[in-house]
Amino acid sequence: MASQQRDYEASTLSFHQEEEEQPSGRDSPKCSLCPCLTYKDKDTGPSSGFYARSMVLGWLCCSCLSLEALHSNTTERCMPRGEPPKPGSSVASTSAEEPCTQPHSQDDSENSGARPGKAPLCFGWVMGVMIRCMLHMWSVILYLRLPWITAQAGIGLTWLIILLSASVTTITGMSISAISTNSKVKAGSKFFLISRSLGPELGSSIGIIFAFANSVAVAMHTVGFAETLLDLLRDHKVQLLNIDPENELQVVGMVIVTILLGVALASVEWESKAQIIFFFLILLSFINYLLGTLLPTNPSRQATGFFGYQGSILLENMVPQWRGPEGSFFGMFSIFFSSATGLLTGTNISEDLKDPATAIPKGTLLAIMWTTLSYLGISVTIGSCMIRDASGNMTDMGVWNGSCLGPECQYGWDFSSCRERGSCLYGLSNHYQAMSMVSAFSPLTSAGVFCAALSSALSCFVSAPKVFQWLCQDKLYPVIGFFGKGYGKKHEPLRGYLFTFLIAVGFILTGDLNTIAAIISNFYLCSYALVNFGCFHASLSQSSGWRPSFCWYRPWLSLLGSLLCLLIMFLLNWWAALIAVLLILLLLFYAFHKKPDVNRGSSVQVGTYRMALSYLVSLTNVQDHVKNFRPQCLVLTGPPSQRPALVDFVGALTKKMSLMICGNVVLEPQAIQESENHVNWLNVRKIRSFYTVISAPRLRSGAQSLMQVAGLGQLKPNLLVLGYKQNWQEVQISAVEDYVGILHDALDYNYGVCILRMPGGLSPATQHQAQVSVHRQPQTLFQSRQGWGTVDVYWLSDDGGLTMLIPYLLTHTQKWARCPVRVFVSSPREQLEEKHKEIHSLLRRFRLGFQHVTVLPELTGKPQETSQKAFEDLVALHWLQKPPPKGNLESTSLNTPAPSGYISEQDLQANQKQSEWHMCLHEVLRQYSQDAALIVMSLPLIPRSACPGALYMTWLEMLSRGLTSPIAFIHGRQQDLLTTYCQ
């Protein structure tokens, strides 16, 4: 047996054994340079270049394969897949992965706001994301309000506040990671992610909230900077000239924000280099603080409330002690949460990251972890060594009387008098600069405050106008469009900077850091709630385009995060939360009413599609998009109960989430009366499908009518599914020609084609009655849970990805989830390793989860004698005059052209290579896939009149005969259903 096997020298490798993929750097083929090839040469195997780039609508992709050029065997130049290009336009070639070291394209309509012609920086996940997020999260709240929050809420509730904030940001970070690993993340940061997840209507509404929140955040960080600066001036007895002390904070804040405006308008390229300096200065301030807590105390420090690490102080500060109008758990939470809003900072420079899909999840989540640990550490350390109230007077030392009840009494101090009068100036509850007082060198802590404030304020100052600019490109809100205009080579939004400046100034005039922080928390919670809901909705809609590679994402966790954000919003301030929700609903109503002419392939579109299946709602306003493609199947089942395996196979693909129409062509009109029984049979089998029946004199004419009239609007089939004609060797030649003609008709009507062959046939053995029994529900392979075997995909012809998408949808059902998928492709023998790397890289970018690739050499050799003998026996059944000579398909004499359907010697000679190729491929199937649970193979595609129908059926019979596994022949519409550049 081993001696009979052919040595194909297959190159096989699993994903987990492969090193990190390297970009190939190859450009996709230019359509203007396509040679005029025959149909066999044009029907090439899969290539990464075919999926390199999707245009704005998601369908027009760079490829030289068009269905018309392929099927009609024309000698015209190939056209791109999908819609024809507009006059005067060209489809530019581009590499499968645009490296960040290359200049941004000036022709990209979705990146018009980027920096054209300028090579962007290439940041990794540490410098590009993690450090930026940590710098934003280490805000002025950490230095100026965390000790005060610890005094108010106690160490225990402060930890609860920190952990609750971390839970919200972690869940949101996981949702952002899922979105960023599901599509190519470009400029536009937060708005880009949300609009691509929730759609332009809701995305634009949240974009406004994001931009406004960033503008207010500029005010918060500026006020924190000014507050620290004024405290330093007071400590050094410096008084600003001619300024009312009550207005010092506002004046200094306006000066600082004006300086920031000038820096943003001039150039912020230095900001990337300064980030690392800010980062190390903040780290030094932390070290300086921790060293200060370990230094021996002295009377001057004790007078301000610092006594070193003491167990009694720790226990005293464990419990809350609410003071003032903000003295409540959620009051403290609203102030603190503003410091946890920097998790999206890394997305601001997504266009300058080496690998955004890896950098954003890793950097964001690690930043949340490290900042959370730092907040926890600072709160417990300062709460262990400093009391809440202290007078700062040395005269309070050594005084003892029976009324002293504070924690300072056992250390020889009594601050009872100032505590009773409410005049204590120091301690955690009274002095915002407590960290500076505890530190070993207080100016270094002040430097940390300045660095945190400057880096965060400048980041928000740059981010808000950019979000406004990208939001204006969808042209949903005419008023804000004024602020989206770009100036100069970099398209800088100068008007957006001015608008951000005015918002910041308005909030700086309030002069209250706590109020500003609470407002920011409300807006960010609102936006985070919708980000999480967007991820949940995308998962719930089960779009085939939603395939995030971030493995830790869970949809129900995102829903929990969304509900948690809404709950906290209303607990913080119910009327402010209500105003925010009403504002979003108002913006959303306006956006839906305007009906924007933009297509993002969002989960909202998928939800609309599901509603259309349930309620027959029109989908005319929803454009097709590659991310939302689903196979909408017209299944030639005849009476569905007679082909249950075919019904179950398609039902597993549609999963009640896509269109399925069971079509029946009857030759006798009276059979139409049985429609109700067939529908009941489908309902009992829990198959969501429409049933339609048509009367026609022939099967082919009836199938033509079904393909033309089936469906309504967007609910129109795009895939024709039919069973394999088991008895083609026994019926008249006209029936064979009709069957093959249906395949040609489907391609002419722009349908994909799928042929399913079951080893025992599609009809159950017990089916012998004409009357349909609703209660007869035979069990089929596609209804049982598969715990063995593999799904072998022979991707031998590139058809846009349908051959790969069908196994993906099938293996994402519970019954087939345990079956691993093996992908087989063909390549010239000298290019096996190169082809393997290309397909391996392509499948990873498709995010299908397929983990096994086998590259087969081109089947150019002679088939085995047993295969050739079987082929000749099949040909003899429909031979025109006499069987061909045994063992030799070549002949010197040519017969006259054969009548329609029969095989002549001329047909054999013209298709000799194809015949031998199919015989060799059958041997490959017997060698590799004899025990597979299912075989999926590219359907051989032939032009019209290229060969008789009997010869074509002989090829299919040779491929599938003798196999114990079901086999599905598939060919798509030459429109990209999988892409690595989808937005």
Side-chain angles (χ1 to χ4, degrees), residues 647-806:
V647 172
D648 294 337
F649 171 72
V650 179
L653 298 179
T654 58
K655 294 185 292 189
K656 300 182 180 180
M657 302 295 175
S658 183
L659 177 65
M660 176 180 176
I661 300 177
C662 292
N664 184 13
V665 179
V666 297
L667 305 181
E668 290 122 7
Q670 61 271 18
I672 297 179
Q673 300 175 358
E674 301 178 354
S675 298
E676 184 176 354
N677 290 333
H678 295 304
V679 172
N680 293 336
W681 186 88
L682 291 170
N683 292 336
V684 172
R685 203 170 184 83
K686 298 181 180 180
I687 298 293
R688 178 178 290 181
S689 172
F690 298 102
Y691 174 81
T692 183
V693 60
I694 193 170
S695 176
R698 296 173 56 192
L699 175 64
R700 182 176 182 180
S701 60
Q704 289 174 341
S705 300
L706 282 175
M707 285 186 282
Q708 294 181 77
V709 302
L712 178 64
Q714 291 287 68
L715 293 177
K716 181 176 177 59
N718 52 35
L719 177 63
L720 179 69
V721 185
L722 64 165
Y724 182 81
K725 193 171 185 62
Q726 295 280 136
N727 62 344
W728 70 273
Q729 304 171 50
E730 305 167 4
V731 298
Q732 296 181 357
I733 194 64
S734 59
V736 178
E737 279 297 292
D738 275 359
Y739 182 84
V740 177
I742 292 174
L743 305 181
H744 290 295
D745 295 336
L747 298 175
D748 290 337
Y749 295 141
N750 199 28
Y751 275 67
V753 179
C754 177
I755 301 176
L756 177 66
R757 180 174 188 179
M758 301 292 293
L762 297 174
S763 301
T766 58
Q767 183 68 36
H768 61 277
Q769 300 178 357
Q771 181 67 28
V772 177
S773 174
V774 175
H775 301 288
R776 183 185 296 116
Q777 297 290 337
Q779 188 76 10
T780 66
L781 175 69
F782 299 98
Q783 280 192 324
S784 58
R785 189 177 186 88
Q786 302 298 315
W788 58 274
T790 59
V791 176
D792 291 353
V793 183
Y794 287 82
W795 198 15
L796 306 176
S797 174
D798 186 76
D799 60 351
L802 183 64
T803 307
M804 303 297 292
L805 186 61
I806 292 298

Side-chain angles (χ1 to χ4, degrees), residues 46-64:
S47 173
S48 60
F50 295 160
Y51 303 89
R53 182 176 183 180
S54 290
M55 303 300 283
V56 176
L57 294 179
W59 286 102
L60 184 59
C61 305
C62 285
S63 170
C64 292

Side-chain angles (χ1 to χ4, degrees), residues 432-749:
Y432 289 146
Q433 301 290 340
M435 284 188 63
S436 296
M437 297 180 60
V438 173
S439 302
F441 184 61
S442 60
L444 189 56
T445 302
S446 299
V449 178
F450 294 150
C451 291
L454 285 176
S455 62
S456 300
L458 190 57
S459 176
C460 294
F461 213 131
V462 175
S463 175
K466 291 293 186 180
V467 174
F468 264 120
Q469 187 178 46
W470 275 87
L471 189 149
C472 295
Q473 291 183 4
D474 285 348
K475 299 179 180 179
L476 284 175
Y477 308 107
V479 177
I480 65 171
F482 174 81
F483 301 101
K485 180 177 176 58
Y487 292 88
K489 296 181 179 180
K490 300 180 181 180
H491 296 275
E492 290 293 339
L494 302 185
R495 298 176 181 177
Y497 285 126
L498 181 60
F499 185 54
T500 302
F501 171 78
L502 294 177
I503 294 176
V505 167
F507 280 89
I508 289 174
L509 292 177
T510 64
D512 189 350
L513 183 62
N514 295 347
T515 302
I516 299 175
I519 294 174
I520 293 175
S521 297
N522 192 281
F523 280 110
Y524 273 104
L525 282 168
C526 181
S527 58
Y528 289 172
L530 287 163
V531 169
N532 287 311
F533 179 77
C535 285
F536 169 74
H537 189 271
S539 300
L540 188 66
S541 61
Q542 298 185 11
S543 168
S544 59
W546 178 252
R547 301 188 302 274
S549 58
F550 181 66
C551 59
W552 299 104
Y553 165 73
R554 294 296 181 270
W556 294 105
L557 189 61
S558 293
L559 178 61
L560 176 63
S562 180
L563 296 177
L564 184 60
C565 290
L566 287 176
L567 178 62
I568 295 175
M569 280 178 59
F570 281 91
L571 290 175
L572 294 181
N573 193 326
W574 67 268
W575 59 266
L578 188 60
I579 291 176
V581 172
L582 290 178
L583 177 61
I584 290 178
L585 292 178
L586 181 62
L587 295 172
L588 188 61
F589 174 79
Y590 178 83
F592 274 109
H593 178 73
K594 190 175 180 181
K595 298 178 181 178
D597 187 20
V598 287
N599 183 26
R600 303 300 188 199
S602 64
S603 59
V604 174
Q605 294 179 352
V606 183
T608 305
Y609 182 85
R610 292 183 60 185
M611 290 176 61
L613 292 179
S614 303
Y615 307 108
L616 297 180
V617 177
S618 174
L619 291 178
T620 55
N621 293 328
V622 178
Q623 301 178 11
D624 289 337
H625 195 281
V626 61
K627 291 193 296 184
N628 293 339
F629 173 84
R630 292 195 73 88
Q632 302 185 141
C633 304
L634 172 61
V635 194
L636 298 184
T637 59
S641 60
Q642 293 186 8
R643 293 172 179 83
L646 187 62
V647 172
D648 294 337
F649 171 72
V650 179
L653 298 179
T654 58
K655 294 185 292 189
K656 300 182 180 180
M657 302 295 175
S658 183
L659 177 65
M660 176 180 176
I661 300 177
C662 292
N664 184 13
V665 179
V666 297
L667 305 181
E668 290 122 7
Q670 61 271 18
I672 297 179
Q673 300 175 358
E674 301 178 354
S675 298
E676 184 176 354
N677 290 333
H678 295 304
V679 172
N680 293 336
W681 186 88
L682 291 170
N683 292 336
V684 172
R685 203 170 184 83
K686 298 181 180 180
I687 298 293
R688 178 178 290 181
S689 172
F690 298 102
Y691 174 81
T692 183
V693 60
I694 193 170
S695 176
R698 296 173 56 192
L699 175 64
R700 182 176 182 180
S701 60
Q704 289 174 341
S705 300
L706 282 175
M707 285 186 282
Q708 294 181 77
V709 302
L712 178 64
Q714 291 287 68
L715 293 177
K716 181 176 177 59
N718 52 35
L719 177 63
L720 179 69
V721 185
L722 64 165
Y724 182 81
K725 193 171 185 62
Q726 295 280 136
N727 62 344
W728 70 273
Q729 304 171 50
E730 305 167 4
V731 298
Q732 296 181 357
I733 194 64
S734 59
V736 178
E737 279 297 292
D738 275 359
Y739 182 84
V740 177
I742 292 174
L743 305 181
H744 290 295
D745 295 336
L747 298 175
D748 290 337
Y749 295 141

Side-chain angles (χ1 to χ4, degrees), residues 908-926:
L908 287 181
Q909 275 198 340
N911 297 279
Q912 178 183 355
K913 290 186 178 180
Q914 287 86 344
S915 299
E916 293 177 348
W917 185 83
H918 287 91
M919 285 184 273
C920 293
L921 182 56
H922 170 70
E923 298 167 11
V924 172
L925 291 172
R926 295 292 297 269

Side-chain angles (χ1 to χ4, degrees), residues 38-171:
T38 63
Y39 78 94
K40 184 59 185 175
D41 294 326
K42 287 190 292 185
D43 195 14
T44 58
S47 173
S48 60
F50 295 160
Y51 303 89
R53 182 176 183 180
S54 290
M55 303 300 283
V56 176
L57 294 179
W59 286 102
L60 184 59
C61 305
C62 285
S63 170
C64 292
L65 300 177
S66 68
L67 185 60
E68 177 61 25
L70 191 61
H71 187 223
S72 61
N73 198 23
T74 61
T75 58
E76 299 177 358
R77 291 190 182 274
C78 303
M79 297 298 295
R81 289 182 190 156
E83 302 177 5
K86 297 180 180 179
S89 65
S90 61
V91 182
S93 64
T94 182
S95 60
E97 287 291 338
E98 179 184 357
C100 65
T101 55
Q102 296 297 326
H104 287 284
S105 172
Q106 300 185 29
D107 301 329
D108 193 349
S109 62
E110 288 210 2
N111 200 19
S112 60
R115 298 165 292 182
K118 178 179 177 63
L121 301 174
C122 290
F123 293 114
W125 65 271
V126 177
M127 186 61 206
V129 181
M130 188 183 75
I131 290 181
R132 289 178 177 271
C133 290
M134 293 175 70
L135 284 174
H136 199 159
M137 293 179 180
W138 282 335
S139 63
V140 293
I141 299 296
L142 169 66
Y143 292 93
L144 303 183
R145 292 298 183 269
L146 183 60
W148 176 72
I149 293 174
T150 303
Q152 289 268 354
I155 297 175
L157 291 183
T158 300
W159 274 42
L160 182 59
I161 290 173
I162 296 173
L163 294 176
L164 182 59
S165 301
S167 299
V168 172
T169 55
T170 300
I171 295 174

Side-chain angles (χ1 to χ4, degrees), residues 861-971:
K862 291 293 183 180
Q864 296 179 359
E865 293 183 3
T866 54
S867 300
Q868 191 166 356
K869 174 63 169 58
F871 178 80
E872 293 169 354
D873 293 340
L874 292 173
V875 169
L877 298 175
H878 296 90
W879 185 245
L880 177 62
Q881 295 179 351
K882 61 180 179 179
K886 299 294 183 180
N888 183 18
L889 295 178
E890 300 179 355
S891 178
T892 57
S893 61
L894 297 178
N895 293 336
T896 57
S900 177
Y902 287 93
I903 305 173
S904 67
E905 194 166 338
Q906 182 180 4
D907 296 324
L908 287 181
Q909 275 198 340
N911 297 279
Q912 178 183 355
K913 290 186 178 180
Q914 287 86 344
S915 299
E916 293 177 348
W917 185 83
H918 287 91
M919 285 184 273
C920 293
L921 182 56
H922 170 70
E923 298 167 11
V924 172
L925 291 172
R926 295 292 297 269
Q927 177 179 348
Y928 287 97
S929 303
Q930 185 65 31
D931 297 326
L934 175 67
I935 300 174
V936 178
M937 175 178 290
S938 300
L939 177 70
L941 187 62
I942 58 172
R944 309 176 192 90
S945 306
C947 72
L951 180 56
Y952 185 77
M953 291 302 299
T954 301
W955 290 346
L956 297 184
E957 182 70 20
M958 279 302 304
L959 289 174
S960 56
R961 74 178 309 178
L963 297 177
T964 59
S965 306
I967 182 169
F969 297 97
I970 299 175
H971 203 288

